[in-house]
Amino acid sequence: MDFEAVIGLEIHIELNCKTKMFCDCPNRPGDDPNLNTCPTCLWLPGAIPRFSAEALEKASLLCLGLGAELQPQSAFDQKVYYYPDLPKGYQLSQARRPLSCGGGIDITDEDGNLKRLRIHHIHMEEDVAKLVHELEGRVPISLVDFNRAGAPLVEIVTEPDLRTPHHAMEFLKALRTQVRYVGSSECSMENGSMRVDANISVRPRGTSQMNTKVEVKNMNSVRHVGDAIAYEISRQSQAVQAGEAVVLHTRLWDPDKKVTLPMRGKFEGPCVPDPMVPVIELSPAFIDEMRSRLPEMPAARAERFVNDYRLTGEEAAFLSADPDVAGFFEALVKKGVAPRTAMHWLATQLIPAVKERRLELGASRVTPERLAALLALLAKDEINANAAREVLAHLFESDETPEAIVNARGFKQVSDAGALAAMIDKVLAGQPAAVADFQAGQGKALGFLIGQVMQSSGGKANPKILRELLMKKLG
Amino acid sequence: MDSIFFYRNPAAAPTDGPLAGLKIAVQPAVSVAGWPADAGSKALANFTALEDATVVSRLVQSGAFICGSTLGSEFGFGLAESRAGEAVKHNIAAAELMLDMMGESRLAACGAGVCGFKPGYGLVSHFGLIGLIPSMEVCGLLAGSCQTIRHLLRALAGPDDKDFSLPDEKPGEFSAPAPEPSKTTIGVIAEAQSALPDAEKSKFRASVAALQKAGFAVREVSFPDWPLFLPVHKIVGSVEASSAAGRYDSVRYGERAPGARNWNEMYLASRGAAFGTLLKSYLIQGAYFQFQRYDAYENACRIRARLVADMKKLTDAVDFLVLPVSGGASEERPGTLDETYGRFAATAFANVTGQPALVLPPASAAEAPFQLAGPRLGDAALLALGDFLLSVREKGK
Ligand SMILES: [Zn+2]
């Protein structure tokens, strides 16, 4: 029998707010254990949660960025479950009245077709504490770190629109790009600021039944999500074919063994409204204000790049995937750099150079102004591409202008025909075999000879003039 | 008399401020920084409050002296082991603060023969109050006179940036003018007396007669759904308590029961050992509605909204309400949940609706203490009425 999967994702995203969701403690889970705590986020008796305006703004921007509809009223409930990472016995979560409904993400499916994956709703909730399991001598102990307790989260719940691991991975990549765009989170699965649970069931292809689903957790990269879903689809298909019933339960992905294994479920109860946390009412003015803060989203930006700068769809998608890259690109173009040159230099030179130096694109010495000045020298033929690459390396080290670097370090291109002709004569005299090869019709020899002359010029020869002169001499 | 207190403040009383010289006792559900705050429960044994409750910090700022913490029932629920009211009765303290979840402060005042006031919901900050039923409980006040309660409320009431559940508006000065009896209607809810034994009924009638004698227009009014207040309180209150008490797991404070093989067993054993029988049955009842009969909980919430609306209609029609305090149950030290609730049959309504209610001591042995209630936000007028009635008695002597 041929099976298809029905997949829904539940994605927790940690908002990059300065404070936690219900108190003023710094939202820095990575600090020394239990440093960022107070009676409210230690959930001590008598403390009262105070909802943070920043969390509401960042969560609202995230919702709008995903095309979701902010709800005029939403509310926090006490979601009851007992586990040592939640010592108060309930989590504040918008379980029944979420912040937004609807929304979705467009992905390209395996056949290259555009596919819309819908979002059911997005709600806010507080994070729980982190358990650290250790050995004290030979006794296993569990330590609780409250730095993460009360950290602001949103949970994005998709419709069961996904069918394949590819859909899930594309959804997550696009989601990450869009959330980074609105600036609400870094969405790093590796660092835990994005956590994904997948609900998977299988059914005979072509039917519309909804079968018992299995929840899979513990994937810490987009790749793992794809692998875990693929594994689970084949596991369930085999089970159904063997006549076994699929039971509702939760499984953990084991990235080393590349299998999912059943885990013991947490005890979870229904939700009770929390009378101490006021209902959130969003005024039309607030929603308008959030909308006005929304940046141009990646899909719209890519489309504009294609139309305005005559880039290919792929180039535009590459540039617009990261708001910093897109911003840098547009700043270069504004300074007069040709769009294709700007795109090419960003992709092949600047981004790798920034990465190699472990810097941030927006935070290195190479500003759009300085790179544009360098590329202007290139465009005017004052330096060649080799020299430009070397000047770029210097730009990372000093605050001198590209022009000053070119002058001080002799990167100026040699375009003087007399000087170049002398160099060419010398090379041709020393390479009779290559000359003979060329004259025998081997085109490759020309490249070799150009390389030799370029080398003898210290990389500064104007390649266009060099080529012309060389061709002339070789007759 | 020291057995009234569970902890006494070793510090010296402040000498400055509008409330200087006023000694105030608190029940252990009211946090005072550095004081043991076990809220009367083994589940909170060894817990020391890190911060002052807002009610405490505001009183201290006004110069009052928090003289000590009096023995209370577990989490302030019911009055079974409570010594609330005795400090005021014996003039050891001018006032006492305690949680009022279903009428505790009013019934304690009744027992001590003093005034007891349950402010309207939203008037006084909850910050630092260790309770069980967040949507119903408020900080109640006991004192010898309505005058003292008004002074205290002036310091206590108003918005608190530690409690977002309070409205932002600053309440008035609690100096409403004395009521003009001939222009003031007081309603007597017929259904509220039905459970009273005959002896108490006649004492209550004597109190109502005294109001008429003072010139007030007293008339009987009907609240057909009155019998629903108690079940609604029981269901909603127990569910909130069951959820709120989830934090008492004996991990950070309280005594951890030995011998557990895993955390789940540790929770079960420690919680089993920590809570008293009454509280345990309340939490189990709440868990039942939460996990088995959520529909009943949702219905109770709906009925609560209706009761609030009906009560608003009633308090629009009359200026004040007069009711008995006693629920009619004879059991002084109730053992079961039903017996406990039975004692609060006449007071729980105000916790369901959030309206203010005031208990006054009887004028004579022929009367019983009685309860007055006003509309939401009618706190100042209600206290002015209480003041007026006490001054009429003084003049009569
Ligand atoms: Zn905190």
Side-chain angles (χ1 to χ4, degrees):
Chain A
M1 206 189 300
D2 189 19
F3 289 97
E4 76 170 354
V6 178
I7 305 160
L9 300 177
E10 292 171 12
I11 302 137
H12 283 93
I13 292 178
E14 214 157 69
L15 299 174
N16 55 5
C17 299
K18 289 187 186 70
T19 68
K20 295 188 181 183
M21 196 167 229
F22 293 105
C23 63
D24 295 330
C25 289
N27 179 29
R28 289 197 307 266
D31 284 1
D32 283 348
N34 295 313
L35 191 69
N36 303 324
T37 58
C38 73
T40 303
C41 59
L42 288 170
W43 299 317
L44 293 180
I48 297 177
R50 287 165 295 133
F51 184 53
S52 139
E54 194 196 4
L56 178 63
E57 292 181 2
K58 294 230 154 157
S60 300
L61 277 173
L62 183 147
C63 295
L64 291 176
L66 296 173
E69 186 92 17
L70 287 173
Q71 300 299 295
Q73 260 202 4
S74 62
F76 282 95
D77 285 320
Q78 301 178 345
K79 189 169 140 195
V80 172
Y81 79 84
Y82 298 115
Y83 203 72
D85 60 8
L86 184 65
K88 71 173 160 175
Y90 60 82
Q91 180 186 24
L92 287 178
S93 172
Q94 296 187 305
R96 292 180 307 173
R97 292 161 77 185
L99 181 62
S100 77
C101 293
I105 284 181
D106 294 318
I107 61 150
T108 310
D109 72 7
E110 289 92 330
D111 304 325
N113 299 320
L114 207 63
K115 184 175 168 71
R116 176 98 178 143
L117 300 173
R118 292 168 303 155
I119 292 170
H120 180 266
H121 73 265
I122 302 174
H123 66 257
M124 298 184 279
E125 62 185 31
E126 59 178 344
D127 209 344
V128 299
K130 191 175 148 193
L131 294 180
V132 182
H133 305 287
E134 288 186 356
L135 280 178
E136 202 171 65
R138 289 166 63 188
V139 183
I141 56 162
S142 295
L143 303 170
V144 189
D145 178 4
F146 281 81
N147 279 352
R148 207 180 67 180
L153 291 180
V154 293
E155 182 174 345
I156 299 165
V157 180
T158 73
E159 296 281 1
D161 284 354
L162 299 75
R163 295 288 172 270
T164 65
H166 173 85
H167 290 169
M169 291 193 290
E170 289 303 306
F171 181 90
L172 292 174
K173 283 187 223 161
L175 175 71
R176 188 167 60 193
T177 301
Q178 299 195 22
V179 174
R180 282 180 186 167
Y181 244 74
V182 299
S184 295
S185 173
E186 285 65 50
C187 289
S188 159
M189 289 191 72
E190 290 74 13
N191 300 339
S193 58
M194 179 158 107
R195 307 195 279 268
V196 180
D197 302 337
N199 290 303
I200 305 152
S201 64
V202 296
R203 65 186 177 197
R205 193 177 300 281
T207 62
S208 61
Q209 68 203 67
M210 292 302 243
N211 288 333
T212 309
K213 65 189 182 182
V214 170
E215 185 184 36
V216 183
K217 292 174 177 288
N218 198 41
M219 294 83 79
N220 53 15
S221 72
V222 172
R223 178 85 251 160
H224 283 177
V225 174
D227 290 348
I229 292 175
Y231 174 85
E232 196 52 31
I233 293 173
S234 100
R235 189 190 70 81
Q236 287 184 33
S237 306
Q238 281 169 23
V240 172
Q241 234 147 5
E244 294 165 26
V246 175
V247 197
L248 181 76
H249 71 301
T250 301
R251 299 174 77 85
L252 289 182
W253 171 245
D254 183 330
D256 299 323
K257 296 186 187 133
K258 295 202 182 300
V259 295
T260 62
L261 299 167
M263 70 175 273
R264 243 184 64 190
K266 288 174 186 174
F267 171 80
E268 255 184 59
C271 299
V272 183
D274 191 321
M276 298 314 291
V277 185
V279 169
I280 297 167
E281 289 192 2
L282 300 186
S283 66
F286 174 87
I287 296 175
D288 286 347
E289 156 77 18
M290 289 300 111
R291 239 185 254 289
S292 74
R293 282 202 221 163
L294 207 61
E296 184 186 22
M297 295 305 285
R301 205 166 198 177
E303 202 181 311
R304 186 166 58 80
F305 284 1
V306 170
N307 292 334
D308 291 6
Y309 304 129
R310 303 281 148 217
L311 298 178
T312 66
E314 252 175 34
E315 288 167 340
F318 165 77
L319 289 174
S320 58
D322 181 330
D324 290 342
V325 173
F328 206 105
F329 167 76
E330 292 212 272
L332 286 177
V333 173
K334 219 176 241 172
K335 296 267 166 210
V337 180
R340 177 138 285 115
T341 309
M343 145 75 208
H344 181 73
W345 269 76
L346 265 171
T348 63
Q349 302 299 325
L350 185 60
I351 292 172
V354 163
K355 265 199 192 132
E356 193 181 300
R357 290 168 174 77
R358 294 174 190 280
L359 296 169
E360 298 285 323
L361 187 59
S364 86
R365 278 197 168 109
V366 186
T367 59
E369 289 72 23
R370 299 180 81 216
L371 182 58
L374 171 63
L375 295 177
L377 295 176
L378 180 66
K380 282 187 283 181
D381 268 346
E382 292 194 15
I383 54 173
N384 63 25
N386 287 331
R389 280 193 281 275
E390 291 204 38
V391 176
L392 176 63
H394 286 281
L395 288 180
F396 280 104
E397 312 302 329
S398 85
D399 288 325
E400 289 173 87
T401 63
E403 224 151 11
I405 294 171
V406 165
N407 290 333
R409 295 172 202 261
F411 283 121
K412 240 196 181 111
Q413 185 155 261
V414 180
S415 304
D416 175 68
L420 284 175
M423 286 182 218
I424 291 170
D425 288 342
K426 214 166 151 195
V427 168
L428 292 184
Q431 301 283 355
V435 173
D437 282 349
F438 178 78
Q439 275 155 355
Q442 288 191 25
K444 264 202 299 193
L446 179 66
F448 172 77
L449 290 168
I450 290 176
Q452 290 298 306
V453 181
M454 188 57 92
Q455 204 172 18
S456 73
S457 76
K460 288 180 282 187
N462 180 326
K464 221 167 103 193
I465 301 177
L466 163 63
R467 193 187 174 88
E468 280 166 15
L469 283 176
L470 190 62
M471 291 294 280
K472 215 181 271 172
K473 292 215 180 239
L474 288 169
Chain B
M1 274 310 144
D2 218 20
S3 54
I4 298 173
F5 283 92
F6 155 76
Y7 182 84
R8 297 197 85 147
N9 190 353
T15 52
D16 280 348
L19 298 180
L22 218 56
K23 281 199 279 184
I24 294 168
V26 296
Q27 282 261 289
V30 179
S31 307
V32 184
W35 291 20
D38 72 356
S41 178
K42 270 195 261 175
L44 270 174
N46 311 319
F47 178 60
T48 302
L50 296 176
E51 296 173 284
D52 281 340
T54 296
V55 289
V56 168
S57 61
R58 288 192 176 171
L59 289 178
V60 170
Q61 270 159 27
S62 299
F65 179 59
I66 310 295
C67 64
S69 187
T70 54
L71 288 160
S73 288
E74 191 167 18
F75 289 109
F77 181 75
L79 289 168
E81 296 100 31
S82 180
R83 306 294 298 271
E86 292 182 41
V88 179
K89 179 181 180 181
H90 297 292
N91 271 321
I92 302 167
E96 185 168 2
L97 305 187
M98 66 185 294
L99 273 182
D100 190 307
M101 297 181 187
M102 50 183 169
E104 287 84 349
S105 72
R106 285 163 282 162
L107 227 63
C110 175
V114 300
C115 302
F117 181 63
K118 182 203 96 78
Y121 195 85
L123 191 67
V124 175
S125 170
H126 284 86
F127 179 77
L129 305 178
I130 304 173
L132 280 178
I133 315 176
S135 80
M136 302 208 190
E137 64 207 9
V138 291
C139 183
L141 293 90
L142 278 67
S145 72
C146 292
Q147 193 75 34
T148 306
I149 292 172
R150 263 157 72 164
H151 280 314
L152 294 178
L153 269 183
R154 228 166 265 160
L156 292 178
D160 177 12
D161 58 18
K162 290 176 173 171
D163 181 355
F164 284 9
S165 73
L166 297 188
D168 293 332
E169 303 86 49
K170 182 125 187 69
E173 279 291 290
F174 299 98
S175 48
E180 280 183 59
S182 60
K183 292 181 183 165
T184 306
T185 321
I186 301 180
V188 188
I189 298 182
E191 292 84 355
Q193 309 155 47
S194 55
L196 285 184
D198 287 344
E200 289 191 44
K201 239 180 227 171
S202 67
K203 283 186 169 184
F204 177 66
R205 284 198 191 117
S207 301
V208 174
L211 292 175
Q212 269 167 320
K213 207 174 143 209
F216 289 97
V218 177
R219 67 179 170 94
E220 185 154 293
V221 292
S222 176
F223 198 105
D225 277 341
W226 177 266
L228 291 177
F229 275 115
L230 220 49
V232 163
H233 190 294
K234 267 190 200 172
I235 296 173
V236 175
S238 66
V239 168
E240 283 186 26
S242 160
S243 190
R247 72 180 68 213
Y248 306 120
D249 56 12
S250 296
V251 173
R252 279 186 66 80
Y253 34 70
E255 278 163 37
R256 208 181 284 194
R261 283 168 302 178
N262 56 47
W263 60 264
N264 212 11
E265 281 186 18
M266 192 246 308
Y267 280 179
L268 290 171
S270 300
R271 285 168 66 92
F275 296 126
T277 310
L278 180 67
L279 199 69
K280 237 185 277 185
S281 41
Y282 197 48
L283 299 183
I284 288 170
Q285 179 187 291
Y288 170 75
F289 285 114
Q290 198 179 350
F291 297 112
Q292 304 288 323
R293 290 296 312 276
Y294 199 74
D295 58 327
Y297 167 69
E298 288 181 307
N299 277 334
C301 290
R302 266 193 290 274
I303 295 171
R304 183 182 187 182
R306 201 176 77 210
L307 292 172
V308 169
D310 288 351
M311 182 56 83
K312 179 162 189 316
K313 266 184 235 152
L314 191 57
T315 49
D316 283 346
V318 297
D319 298 304
F320 300 100
L321 296 168
V322 60
L323 313 98
V325 193
S326 161
S330 55
E331 206 57 55
E332 260 289 297
R333 294 269 174 269
T336 69
L337 206 49
D338 266 0
E339 286 167 8
T340 303
Y341 260 99
R343 290 195 71 200
F344 295 94
T347 51
F349 78 98
N351 301 82
V352 172
T353 61
Q355 68 197 117
L358 172 70
V359 160
L360 294 182
S364 72
E367 295 179 27
F370 61 96
Q371 196 180 189
L372 297 161
R376 280 293 284 273
L377 306 177
D379 301 68
L382 184 61
L383 284 169
L385 172 67
D387 243 355
F388 178 83
L389 291 174
L390 292 182
S391 69
V392 167
R393 284 184 200 171
E394 281 300 309
K395 280 178 207 149
K397 272 178 193 167

